[in-house]
Coordinates of all heavy atoms in Angstrom, one line a residue:
M104 N 0.8 -1.2 0.0 CA 0.0 0.0 0.0 C 0.8 1.3 0.0 O 0.6 2.2 -0.8 CB -1.0 0.0 1.2 CG -1.8 1.2 1.4 SD -3.2 1.1 0.1 CE -3.9 2.7 0.3
E105 N 1.8 1.3 0.9 CA 2.8 2.5 0.9 C 3.6 2.7 -0.3 O 3.6 3.8 -0.9 CB 3.7 2.4 2.1 CG 3.2 2.6 3.5 CD 4.1 2.4 4.6 OE1 5.3 2.3 4.3 OE2 3.6 2.4 5.7
S106 N 3.9 1.6 -0.9 CA 4.7 1.6 -2.1 C 3.9 2.2 -3.3 O 4.3 2.8 -4.1 CB 5.4 0.3 -2.5 OG 4.5 -0.7 -2.8
A107 N 2.5 1.7 -3.2 CA 1.7 2.2 -4.3 C 1.5 3.7 -4.3 O 1.5 4.3 -5.3 CB 0.3 1.5 -4.2
I108 N 1.3 4.2 -2.9 CA 1.2 5.6 -2.8 C 2.4 6.4 -3.3 O 2.3 7.4 -3.9 CB 0.8 6.0 -1.4 CG1 -0.6 5.3 -1.0 CG2 0.8 7.5 -1.2 CD1 -1.0 5.5 0.4
K109 N 3.6 5.9 -2.8 CA 4.9 6.4 -3.2 C 5.0 6.5 -4.8 O 5.4 7.4 -5.3 CB 6.0 5.7 -2.6 CG 6.3 6.0 -1.2 CD 7.4 5.3 -0.5 CE 7.5 5.3 0.9 NZ 8.3 4.4 1.5
T110 N 4.6 5.4 -5.4 CA 4.7 5.3 -6.9 C 3.9 6.4 -7.5 O 4.2 7.0 -8.5 CB 4.4 3.9 -7.4 OG1 5.1 3.0 -6.7 CG2 4.4 3.8 -8.9
M111 N 2.7 6.5 -7.0 CA 1.8 7.4 -7.6 C 2.2 8.9 -7.4 O 2.2 9.6 -8.4 CB 0.4 7.3 -6.6 CG -0.9 7.5 -7.3 SD -2.1 7.3 -6.0 CE -2.0 8.8 -5.1
V112 N 2.8 9.2 -6.3 CA 3.3 10.5 -6.1 C 4.6 10.7 -7.0 O 4.7 11.7 -7.6 CB 3.7 10.8 -4.6 CG1 4.4 12.2 -4.5 CG2 2.4 10.8 -3.8
T113 N 5.6 9.7 -6.9 CA 6.8 9.9 -7.7 C 6.4 10.0 -9.1 O 7.2 10.8 -9.9 CB 7.7 8.7 -7.4 OG1 7.7 8.5 -6.0 CG2 9.0 8.8 -8.0
T114 N 5.5 9.3 -9.7 CA 5.2 9.2 -11.0 C 4.7 10.6 -11.5 O 5.1 11.1 -12.5 CB 4.0 8.2 -11.4 OG1 4.4 6.9 -11.1 CG2 3.6 8.3 -12.9
F115 N 3.9 11.2 -10.6 CA 3.5 12.7 -11.0 C 4.7 13.6 -10.9 O 4.9 14.4 -11.9 CB 2.4 13.1 -10.0 CG 1.8 14.5 -10.2 CD1 0.8 14.7 -11.1 CD2 2.6 15.6 -9.6 CE1 0.3 16.0 -11.4 CE2 2.1 16.9 -9.9 CZ 1.0 17.1 -10.8
L116 N 5.5 13.6 -9.9 CA 6.5 14.4 -9.8 C 7.6 14.4 -11.0 O 8.0 15.4 -11.5 CB 7.3 14.3 -8.4 CG 6.4 14.6 -7.2 CD1 7.2 14.3 -6.0 CD2 6.0 16.1 -7.2
T117 N 7.9 13.1 -11.2 CA 8.9 12.8 -12.3 C 8.3 13.3 -13.6 O 9.0 14.0 -14.4 CB 9.1 11.3 -12.4 OG1 9.4 10.8 -11.1 CG2 10.2 11.0 -13.5
S118 N 7.0 13.0 -13.9 CA 6.4 13.5 -15.1 C 6.3 15.0 -15.2 O 6.4 15.6 -16.3 CB 5.0 12.9 -15.3 OG 5.0 11.5 -15.2
A119 N 6.0 15.6 -14.1 CA 5.9 17.1 -14.1 C 7.1 17.8 -14.1 O 7.2 19.0 -14.4 CB 5.0 17.5 -12.9
R120 N 8.3 17.1 -13.9 CA 9.6 17.7 -13.9 C 9.8 18.9 -13.0 O 10.3 20.0 -13.5 CB 10.0 17.9 -15.3 CG 10.2 16.8 -16.2 CD 10.5 17.1 -17.6 NE 10.6 16.1 -18.4 CZ 11.2 16.1 -19.7 NH1 11.8 17.2 -20.1 NH2 11.3 15.0 -20.4
G121 N 9.4 18.7 -11.8 CA 9.5 19.9 -10.9 C 8.5 21.0 -10.9 O 8.5 21.9 -10.0
K122 N 7.6 20.9 -11.9 CA 6.6 21.9 -12.0 C 5.3 21.5 -11.2 O 5.3 20.3 -10.8 CB 6.1 22.2 -13.4 CG 7.3 22.7 -14.2 CD 6.8 22.9 -15.6 CE 8.0 23.4 -16.5 NZ 7.9 22.8 -17.9
E123 N 4.4 22.3 -11.0 CA 3.2 21.9 -10.3 C 2.1 21.2 -11.0 O 1.2 20.6 -10.4 CB 2.6 23.2 -9.6 CG 3.5 23.8 -8.4 CD 2.8 25.0 -7.7 OE1 1.5 25.1 -7.9 OE2 3.5 25.8 -7.1
N124 N 2.2 21.3 -12.3 CA 1.2 20.9 -13.2 C 1.8 19.9 -14.3 O 2.9 20.1 -14.7 CB 0.3 21.8 -13.9 CG -0.5 22.7 -12.8 OD1 -1.5 22.2 -12.4 ND2 0.1 23.8 -12.5
L125 N 1.0 19.0 -14.8 CA 1.4 18.2 -16.0 C 0.9 19.0 -17.2 O -0.3 19.3 -17.2 CB 0.8 16.9 -16.0 CG 1.2 15.9 -14.9 CD1 0.3 14.6 -15.0 CD2 2.7 15.5 -15.0
D126 N 1.7 19.3 -18.2 CA 1.2 19.9 -19.4 C 0.5 18.8 -20.3 O 0.8 17.5 -19.9 CB 2.2 20.7 -20.2 CG 3.4 20.0 -20.4 OD1 3.3 18.8 -20.6 OD2 4.5 20.6 -20.7
S127 N -0.1 19.0 -21.3 CA -0.7 18.0 -22.2 C 0.2 17.0 -22.6 O 0.0 15.7 -22.6 CB -1.4 18.6 -23.4 OG -1.8 19.8 -23.1
K128 N 1.4 17.4 -23.0 CA 2.4 16.5 -23.5 C 2.9 15.4 -22.4 O 2.9 14.2 -22.7 CB 3.7 17.3 -24.0 CG 4.6 16.5 -25.0 CD 5.6 17.4 -25.5 CE 6.9 16.6 -25.9 NZ 8.0 17.4 -26.1
S129 N 3.1 15.9 -21.2 CA 3.6 15.1 -20.2 C 2.6 14.1 -19.6 O 2.7 13.0 -19.4 CB 4.0 16.0 -18.9 OG 4.9 16.9 -19.3
F130 N 1.2 14.7 -19.6 CA 0.2 13.9 -19.3 C -0.1 12.7 -20.3 O -0.3 11.6 -19.9 CB -1.2 14.8 -19.2 CG -2.4 13.9 -18.8 CD1 -2.5 13.5 -17.5 CD2 -3.3 13.7 -19.7 CE1 -3.7 12.8 -17.1 CE2 -4.5 12.9 -19.4 CZ -4.7 12.4 -18.1
K131 N 0.0 13.0 -21.6 CA -0.1 12.0 -22.5 C 0.9 10.9 -22.4 O 0.6 9.7 -22.5 CB -0.1 12.7 -23.9 CG -0.8 12.0 -25.1 CD -0.7 12.8 -26.3 CE -1.7 14.0 -26.3 NZ -1.7 14.8 -27.6
K132 N 2.1 11.4 -22.1 CA 3.3 10.4 -22.0 C 3.0 9.6 -20.8 O 3.3 8.3 -20.8 CB 4.5 11.2 -21.9 CG 5.8 10.5 -22.1 CD 7.0 11.4 -22.2 CE 8.3 10.7 -21.7 NZ 9.3 11.6 -21.5
L133 N 2.6 10.2 -19.7 CA 2.3 9.5 -18.5 C 1.3 8.3 -18.7 O 1.5 7.1 -18.3 CB 1.9 10.4 -17.4 CG 1.7 9.9 -15.9 CD1 1.8 11.0 -15.0 CD2 0.3 9.2 -15.7
V134 N 0.2 8.8 -19.3 CA -0.9 7.8 -19.6 C -0.5 6.6 -20.4 O -0.7 5.5 -20.1 CB -2.1 8.5 -20.1 CG1 -3.2 7.5 -20.7 CG2 -2.8 9.5 -19.2
K135 N 0.2 7.0 -21.6 CA 0.7 6.0 -22.5 C 1.6 5.0 -21.9 O 1.7 3.8 -22.1 CB 1.3 6.5 -23.7 CG 0.2 7.3 -24.6 CD 0.8 7.6 -26.0 CE -0.4 8.2 -26.9 NZ 0.1 8.5 -28.2
S136 N 2.5 5.5 -21.0 CA 3.7 4.7 -20.6 C 3.2 4.0 -19.3 O 3.7 2.8 -19.0 CB 4.9 5.5 -20.3 OG 4.7 6.5 -19.2
Q137 N 2.2 4.5 -18.5 CA 1.9 3.9 -17.2 C 0.6 3.2 -17.1 O 0.3 2.4 -16.3 CB 2.0 5.0 -16.1 CG 3.4 5.7 -16.0 CD 4.5 4.9 -15.5 OE1 4.3 4.0 -14.7 NE2 5.6 5.1 -16.0
L138 N -0.3 3.7 -17.9 CA -1.7 3.2 -17.7 C -2.4 2.3 -18.8 O -3.6 2.2 -18.8 CB -2.6 4.4 -17.4 CG -2.2 5.3 -16.2 CD1 -3.0 6.5 -16.0 CD2 -2.4 4.3 -14.9
G139 N -1.6 1.9 -19.7 CA -2.0 1.1 -20.8 C -2.8 -0.1 -20.5 O -3.7 -0.6 -21.1
G140 N -2.4 -0.7 -19.3 CA -3.1 -2.0 -18.9 C -4.4 -1.7 -18.2 O -5.2 -2.6 -18.2
L141 N -4.6 -0.6 -17.6 CA -5.9 -0.3 -16.9 C -6.9 0.5 -17.8 O -8.1 0.4 -17.6 CB -5.6 0.6 -15.7 CG -5.2 0.0 -14.4 CD1 -5.0 1.0 -13.4 CD2 -6.2 -1.1 -14.0
M142 N -6.4 1.2 -18.7 CA -7.3 2.1 -19.5 C -7.4 1.6 -20.9 O -6.4 1.2 -21.6 CB -6.8 3.5 -19.4 CG -6.9 4.0 -18.1 SD -6.2 5.7 -18.1 CE -7.4 6.6 -19.0
E143 N -8.5 1.7 -21.5 CA -8.7 1.6 -23.0 C -8.3 2.9 -23.7 O -8.2 4.0 -23.0 CB -10.1 1.1 -23.3 CG -10.6 0.0 -22.7 CD -12.1 -0.2 -22.8 OE1 -12.7 0.5 -23.7 OE2 -12.6 -1.0 -22.1
D144 N -8.1 2.8 -24.9 CA -7.8 4.1 -25.8 C -6.5 4.8 -25.4 O -6.4 6.0 -25.7 CB -9.0 5.0 -25.6 CG -10.2 4.4 -26.2 OD1 -10.1 3.6 -27.0 OD2 -11.4 4.9 -25.8
T145 N -5.6 4.2 -24.7 CA -4.3 4.9 -24.4 C -3.4 5.1 -25.6 O -2.6 5.9 -25.7 CB -3.5 4.3 -23.4 OG1 -3.2 2.9 -23.7 CG2 -4.2 4.3 -21.9
S146 N -3.8 4.4 -26.7 CA -3.1 4.6 -28.0 C -3.6 5.8 -28.7 O -3.0 6.2 -29.7 CB -3.1 3.3 -28.8 OG -4.4 3.0 -29.0
S147 N -4.8 6.3 -28.4 CA -5.4 7.3 -29.0 C -5.2 8.7 -28.3 O -5.6 8.9 -27.3 CB -7.0 7.0 -29.2 OG -7.6 8.3 -29.4
S148 N -4.5 9.5 -29.1 CA -4.2 10.8 -28.5 C -5.5 11.7 -28.3 O -5.5 12.3 -27.3 CB -3.2 11.6 -29.5 OG -2.0 11.0 -29.5
S149 N -6.4 11.5 -29.2 CA -7.6 12.4 -29.0 C -8.4 11.9 -27.8 O -9.0 12.7 -27.0 CB -8.5 12.4 -30.2 OG -8.8 11.0 -30.6
A150 N -8.4 10.6 -27.6 CA -9.0 10.0 -26.3 C -8.4 10.5 -25.0 O -9.0 10.9 -24.1 CB -9.1 8.5 -26.3
I151 N -7.1 10.5 -25.2 CA -6.3 11.1 -23.9 C -6.6 12.6 -23.7 O -6.7 13.1 -22.6 CB -4.8 10.9 -24.0 CG1 -4.5 9.4 -24.1 CG2 -4.0 11.5 -22.9 CD1 -3.1 8.9 -24.4
E152 N -6.7 13.4 -24.8 CA -7.0 14.8 -24.7 C -8.4 15.0 -24.1 O -8.6 15.9 -23.3 CB -6.9 15.5 -26.1 CG -5.5 15.8 -26.5 CD -5.3 16.0 -27.9 OE1 -6.3 16.3 -28.6 OE2 -4.1 15.8 -28.4
E153 N -9.3 14.2 -24.5 CA -10.7 14.2 -23.9 C -10.7 14.0 -22.5 O -11.4 14.6 -21.6 CB -11.6 13.2 -24.6 CG -12.2 13.7 -26.0 CD -12.9 15.0 -25.9 OE1 -13.8 15.2 -25.1 OE2 -12.5 15.9 -26.6
M154 N -9.9 13.0 -22.0 CA -9.8 12.6 -20.6 C -9.2 13.7 -19.9 O -9.7 14.0 -18.7 CB -8.8 11.3 -20.7 CG -8.9 10.7 -19.3 SD -8.2 9.1 -19.5 CE -6.5 9.6 -20.0
Q155 N -8.2 14.4 -20.4 CA -7.5 15.4 -19.7 C -8.5 16.6 -19.5 O -8.5 17.2 -18.4 CB -6.3 15.9 -20.5 CG -5.5 17.0 -19.8 CD -4.4 17.7 -20.7 OE1 -3.8 17.1 -21.6 NE2 -4.2 18.9 -20.5
K156 N -9.3 17.0 -20.6 CA -10.3 18.0 -20.4 C -11.3 17.6 -19.3 O -11.7 18.5 -18.6 CB -11.2 18.1 -21.6 CG -10.4 19.0 -22.7 CD -11.3 19.1 -23.9 CE -10.4 19.5 -25.2 NZ -11.2 19.2 -26.4
G157 N -11.6 16.3 -19.2 CA -12.5 15.9 -18.1 C -11.9 16.1 -16.8 O -12.7 16.4 -15.8
L158 N -10.6 15.9 -16.6 CA -10.0 16.0 -15.3 C -9.7 17.5 -15.0 O -9.6 17.8 -13.7 CB -8.6 15.4 -15.4 CG -8.6 13.8 -15.5 CD1 -7.2 13.3 -15.7 CD2 -9.2 13.2 -14.1
D159 N -9.6 18.3 -16.0 CA -9.1 19.7 -15.8 C -10.2 20.7 -15.2 O -10.8 21.4 -15.8 CB -8.7 20.3 -17.1 CG -7.9 21.5 -17.0 OD1 -7.6 21.9 -15.8 OD2 -7.6 22.1 -18.1
E160 N -10.3 20.5 -13.9 CA -11.3 21.2 -13.0 C -11.3 22.7 -13.2 O -12.4 23.4 -13.3 CB -11.3 20.9 -11.6 CG -11.9 19.5 -11.4 CD -11.7 19.1 -9.9 OE1 -11.5 19.9 -9.1 OE2 -12.0 17.8 -9.5
N161 N -10.1 23.3 -13.2 CA -10.0 24.8 -13.4 C -9.7 25.2 -14.8 O -9.4 26.3 -14.9 CB -8.9 25.3 -12.3 CG -7.5 24.7 -12.6 OD1 -7.4 23.8 -13.6 ND2 -6.5 25.2 -12.0
N162 N -9.8 24.3 -15.7 CA -9.7 24.6 -17.1 C -8.5 25.5 -17.4 O -8.6 26.4 -18.2 CB -11.0 25.5 -17.6 CG -12.2 24.5 -17.5 OD1 -12.3 23.5 -18.1 ND2 -13.3 25.0 -16.9
D163 N -7.3 25.2 -16.9 CA -6.1 25.8 -17.3 C -5.3 25.1 -18.4 O -4.2 25.5 -18.7 CB -5.3 26.2 -16.0 CG -4.7 24.9 -15.4 OD1 -5.1 23.7 -15.7 OD2 -4.0 25.1 -14.4
G164 N -5.9 23.9 -18.8 CA -5.2 23.2 -19.8 C -4.1 22.2 -19.4 O -3.3 21.6 -20.1
K165 N -3.9 22.3 -17.9 CA -2.9 21.4 -17.4 C -3.5 20.5 -16.4 O -4.7 20.7 -15.8 CB -1.7 22.3 -16.8 CG -1.0 23.0 -17.9 CD 0.0 23.9 -17.2 CE -0.5 25.3 -16.8 NZ 0.5 26.2 -16.4
V166 N -2.8 19.5 -15.9 CA -3.2 18.7 -14.9 C -2.5 18.8 -13.6 O -1.4 18.5 -13.5 CB -3.2 17.1 -15.4 CG1 -3.7 16.1 -14.3 CG2 -3.9 17.0 -16.7
S167 N -3.2 19.3 -12.6 CA -2.5 19.5 -11.3 C -2.5 18.2 -10.5 O -3.1 17.1 -10.9 CB -3.3 20.5 -10.5 OG -4.5 19.9 -10.1
F168 N -1.8 18.3 -9.4 CA -1.8 17.0 -8.6 C -3.1 16.6 -8.1 O -3.5 15.4 -8.2 CB -0.9 17.1 -7.4 CG -0.6 15.9 -6.6 CD1 0.1 14.9 -7.2 CD2 -1.2 15.7 -5.4 CE1 0.3 13.6 -6.5 CE2 -1.0 14.5 -4.6 CZ -0.2 13.5 -5.2
K169 N -3.9 17.6 -7.7 CA -5.4 17.2 -7.3 C -6.1 16.6 -8.5 O -6.9 15.7 -8.3 CB -6.0 18.5 -6.9 CG -7.4 18.4 -6.3 CD -7.8 19.6 -5.6 CE -9.3 19.5 -5.3 NZ -10.1 20.1 -6.3
E170 N -6.0 17.1 -9.6 CA -6.7 16.6 -10.8 C -6.2 15.2 -11.2 O -7.1 14.3 -11.6 CB -6.5 17.6 -12.0 CG -7.3 18.9 -11.7 CD -6.8 20.0 -12.6 OE1 -6.0 19.9 -13.3 OE2 -7.6 21.2 -12.6
Y171 N -4.9 15.0 -11.0 CA -4.3 13.8 -11.2 C -4.9 12.7 -10.3 O -5.2 11.6 -10.6 CB -2.8 13.8 -11.0 CG -1.9 12.6 -10.9 CD1 -1.6 11.9 -12.0 CD2 -1.4 12.3 -9.7 CE1 -0.7 10.8 -11.8 CE2 -0.7 11.1 -9.5 CZ -0.3 10.4 -10.6 OH 0.5 9.3 -10.4
L172 N -5.1 13.2 -9.0 CA -5.7 12.3 -8.0 C -7.1 11.8 -8.5 O -7.7 10.7 -8.1 CB -5.8 12.8 -6.7 CG -4.5 13.0 -5.9 CD1 -4.6 13.6 -4.6 CD2 -3.7 11.7 -5.8
G173 N -7.8 12.7 -9.1 CA -9.1 12.4 -9.7 C -9.1 11.3 -10.6 O -9.9 10.3 -10.7
L174 N -8.0 11.2 -11.5 CA -7.8 10.1 -12.5 C -7.6 8.8 -11.7 O -8.2 7.9 -12.0 CB -6.6 10.5 -13.3 CG -6.2 9.3 -14.3 CD1 -7.3 9.0 -15.3 CD2 -5.0 9.8 -15.1
I175 N -6.7 8.9 -10.7 CA -6.3 7.7 -9.9 C -7.6 7.1 -9.2 O -7.9 6.0 -9.2 CB -5.3 8.1 -8.8 CG1 -4.0 8.7 -9.4 CG2 -4.8 6.8 -8.0 CD1 -3.2 7.8 -10.2
G176 N -8.4 8.1 -8.7 CA -9.7 7.7 -7.9 C -10.6 7.0 -8.9 O -11.2 6.0 -8.6
Y177 N -10.7 7.6 -10.1 CA -11.6 7.0 -11.1 C -11.1 5.6 -11.5 O -11.9 4.7 -11.7 CB -11.6 7.9 -12.4 CG -12.3 7.4 -13.5 CD1 -13.7 7.3 -13.7 CD2 -11.5 6.8 -14.6 CE1 -14.2 6.7 -14.8 CE2 -12.1 6.1 -15.7 CZ -13.5 6.2 -15.7 OH -14.1 5.6 -16.9
L178 N -9.8 5.5 -11.8 CA -9.2 4.2 -12.1 C -9.4 3.1 -11.1 O -9.8 1.9 -11.2 CB -7.8 4.3 -12.6 CG -7.5 5.1 -13.8 CD1 -6.0 5.3 -14.0 CD2 -8.0 4.4 -15.0
A179 N -9.1 3.6 -9.8 CA -9.3 2.6 -8.7 C -10.8 2.2 -8.5 O -11.0 1.0 -8.2 CB -8.9 3.3 -7.4
K180 N -11.7 3.1 -8.7 CA -13.1 2.7 -8.6 C -13.5 1.8 -9.8 O -14.1 0.7 -9.6 CB -13.9 4.0 -8.7 CG -15.5 3.8 -8.6 CD -16.1 5.2 -8.4 CE -17.6 5.2 -8.3 NZ -18.2 5.0 -9.7
S181 N -13.0 2.0 -11.0 CA -13.3 1.2 -12.1 C -12.8 -0.2 -11.9 O -13.5 -1.2 -12.1 CB -12.7 1.6 -13.4 OG -13.1 2.9 -13.7
L182 N -11.5 -0.3 -11.3 CA -10.9 -1.6 -11.0 C -11.6 -2.4 -10.1 O -11.9 -3.5 -10.1 CB -9.5 -1.2 -10.6 CG -8.6 -2.5 -10.4 CD1 -8.3 -3.2 -11.7 CD2 -7.2 -2.1 -9.9
S183 N -12.1 -1.7 -8.9 CA -12.8 -2.3 -7.9 C -14.1 -2.9 -8.4 O -14.6 -3.9 -8.0 CB -13.0 -1.5 -6.6 OG -14.0 -0.5 -6.8
E184 N -14.8 -2.1 -9.2 CA -16.0 -2.5 -9.8 C -15.9 -3.7 -10.8 O -16.7 -4.6 -10.7 CB -16.8 -1.3 -10.6 CG -17.3 -0.3 -9.7 CD -17.8 1.0 -10.3 OE1 -17.6 1.1 -11.6 OE2 -18.4 1.8 -9.6
S185 N -14.8 -3.7 -11.6 CA -14.7 -4.8 -12.4 C -14.2 -6.0 -11.6 O -14.7 -7.1 -12.0 CB -13.6 -4.5 -13.5 OG -12.3 -4.3 -12.9
K186 N -13.6 -5.9 -10.5 CA -13.1 -7.1 -9.7 C -14.3 -7.7 -9.0 O -14.4 -8.9 -8.8 CB -12.1 -6.6 -8.7 CG -10.8 -6.2 -9.2 CD -9.7 -7.3 -9.4 CE -8.4 -6.7 -9.7 NZ -7.6 -7.7 -10.5
S187 N -15.2 -6.8 -8.5 CA -16.3 -7.3 -7.8 C -17.5 -7.5 -8.7 O -18.6 -8.1 -8.2 CB -16.8 -6.3 -6.7 OG -17.2 -5.1 -7.3
G188 N -17.4 -7.3 -10.0 CA -18.4 -7.7 -11.0 C -19.6 -6.9 -10.8 O -20.7 -7.2 -11.3
S189 N -19.6 -5.6 -10.3 CA -20.7 -4.8 -10.1 C -20.7 -3.7 -11.2 O -20.7 -2.6 -10.9 CB -20.7 -4.2 -8.7 OG -19.6 -3.4 -8.5
N190 N -20.6 -4.1 -12.4 CA -20.7 -3.2 -13.5 C -22.0 -2.8 -14.0 O -22.1 -2.0 -14.8 CB -19.8 -3.7 -14.7 CG -18.4 -3.4 -14.6 OD1 -18.0 -2.4 -14.0 ND2 -17.5 -4.2 -15.2
A191 N -23.0 -3.4 -13.3 CA -24.4 -3.2 -13.8 C -24.9 -1.8 -13.8 O -25.5 -1.2 -14.6 CB -25.3 -4.1 -13.0
D192 N -24.3 -1.0 -12.8 CA -24.8 0.3 -12.6 C -23.9 1.4 -13.2 O -23.7 2.5 -12.7 CB -25.2 0.5 -11.2 CG -24.0 0.6 -10.2 OD1 -23.0 0.1 -10.7 OD2 -24.2 1.1 -9.1
A193 N -23.0 1.0 -14.1 CA -22.0 1.9 -14.6 C -22.8 2.9 -15.4 O -23.3 2.6 -16.5 CB -21.1 1.2 -15.5
S194 N -22.9 4.2 -14.8 CA -23.7 5.2 -15.5 C -22.8 6.3 -16.0 O -21.9 6.6 -15.3 CB -24.8 5.7 -14.7 OG -24.3 6.0 -13.5
Ligands
LIG219 CA1 -6.1 22.1 -14.2

């Protein structure tokens, strides 16, 4: 559990290269290199751009750490739903 949290934080910091936000290019790279197994459409740049827009709560075109956590939360929720087989109410 601790290592998972460390990985999550380190991945963001490494991808952001010392900045507070991930720009589109860094976000795309992160998704493609790290999340291909959990997410569909990671080979599609337009799908990743759509996803980034969905995460971008303050509409600044970048993904902050908080917005990144939204993605992690979404993926964790999807994973737990698929593991428990409760996909019936996916709305
Ligand atoms: Ca943002």
Side-chain angles (χ1 to χ4, degrees):
M104 182 70 191
E105 285 178 11
S106 66
I108 294 170
K109 282 177 192 165
T110 301
M111 211 174 78
V112 173
T113 307
T114 299
F115 180 89
L116 294 176
T117 306
S118 303
R120 296 177 181 198
K122 295 180 188 145
E123 287 184 22
N124 294 278
L125 297 172
D126 57 27
S127 321
K128 199 178 156 193
S129 306
F130 180 71
K131 206 172 283 180
K132 198 172 156 194
L133 184 158
V134 171
K135 286 190 178 184
S136 64
Q137 306 289 328
L138 298 171
L141 273 180
M142 297 178 64
E143 296 171 17
D144 295 337
T145 54
S146 57
S147 158
S148 289
S149 59
I151 296 176
E152 280 161 20
E153 280 304 308
M154 192 166 65
Q155 188 189 327
K156 277 182 204 162
L158 289 171
D159 194 5
E160 288 177 8
N161 62 354
N162 293 311
D163 65 353
K165 294 178 279 191
V166 179
S167 67
F168 187 70
K169 181 170 172 267
E170 291 162 351
Y171 165 80
L172 289 181
L174 172 66
I175 305 290
Y177 169 79
L178 292 173
K180 185 167 174 284
S181 306
L182 186 62
S183 75
E184 283 170 356
S185 65
K186 296 265 186 208
S187 64
S189 62
N190 271 333
D192 65 345
S194 53

